[in-house]
Amino acid sequence: MRRQLEVNLVAPMLLTKYSLPHMRVRGRGTIIAISSYGGQATHPGASAYHATKWGLEGYFESLLKEIGSFGLRVLIVEPGAARTSFRAAAAEHLSNTPPGYEQTPIGSLGSVLRDPARNPIGDPAKIAAAIIEATDNPTDALRLVLGSDAYTNITTALSQRLNQVDDQRLSAAWTDFT
């Protein structure tokens, strides 16, 4: 867990901290934060990973509100699964299924990662090209969603969250001072 936090969250925060003074002097620049659709949607077996990506997204979304007036930009990249060696490496480092979890999504995680029929649809070269294009031709978009799987997972998760919040519209005010 600590390693994931250090690599996925703390390192980008520190790199940004040390880069910002130079970027402010220039009055322009884009901070590219590599997240994933896992910063908006979750899957079983990846809680520590999701914690780092949700933290990264919260940090960089807030940071933009702090530095935007300096002419700086933040781009949070949310790619879907890409055809890299990640799945094979993850399957190799997967620990044994904890007792009691055999018949749960955690119990099937290893077989999912090793299943060649679940080959990711994302093309790493196209993902890199899209990031470069978004940097060369900036827009006001804070997030760059890459991959139809990323789009589907993010929109599903956001819709579900919005519905849950909307269901509490009336009860939310109960705790206000009257």
Side-chain angles (χ1 to χ4, degrees):
M1 258 192 289
R2 288 180 194 271
R3 185 167 183 220
Q4 280 199 50
L5 284 166
E6 289 290 331
V7 170
N8 292 349
L9 180 58
V10 177
M13 291 169 70
L14 289 174
L15 182 61
T16 301
K17 174 185 173 181
Y18 296 121
S19 301
L20 273 177
H22 307 286
M23 295 176 78
R24 279 194 304 264
V25 168
R26 290 179 55 204
R28 62 183 167 83
T30 302
I31 297 167
I32 300 173
I34 303 297
S35 184
S36 77
Y37 74 81
Q40 298 278 344
T42 63
H43 295 292
S47 4
Y49 174 80
H50 290 301
T52 66
K53 294 303 183 179
W54 285 53
L56 180 124
E57 296 221 7
Y59 175 81
F60 282 101
E61 183 172 328
S62 179
L63 183 68
L64 175 61
K65 295 174 182 176
E66 298 169 10
I67 64 170
S69 61
F70 293 108
L72 303 178
R73 181 172 174 247
V74 171
L75 182 65
I76 301 172
V77 181
E78 298 176 327
R83 289 189 189 174
T84 65
S85 59
F86 173 80
R87 290 175 75 93
E92 282 180 29
H93 291 90
L94 195 64
S95 58
N96 294 330
T97 302
Y101 283 82
E102 296 84 5
Q103 302 304 315
T104 71
I106 296 294
S108 62
L109 188 57
S111 60
V112 168
L113 289 173
R114 291 180 194 92
D115 184 355
R118 293 179 184 248
N119 204 5
I121 61 172
D123 180 336
K126 289 180 179 178
I127 291 170
I131 295 168
I132 293 167
E133 173 67 22
T135 305
D136 289 345
N137 299 299
T139 67
D140 288 335
L142 171 61
R143 289 179 169 81
L144 178 63
V145 178
L146 300 173
S148 58
D149 58 338
Y151 178 83
T152 298
N153 282 296
I154 290 170
T155 56
T156 299
L158 291 175
S159 295
Q160 289 171 348
R161 282 204 302 282
L162 186 56
N163 288 338
Q164 290 171 0
V165 170
D166 194 47
D167 288 345
Q168 299 174 57
R169 182 177 353 105
L170 299 176
S171 64
W174 182 81
T175 58
D176 293 352
F177 277 104
T178 53

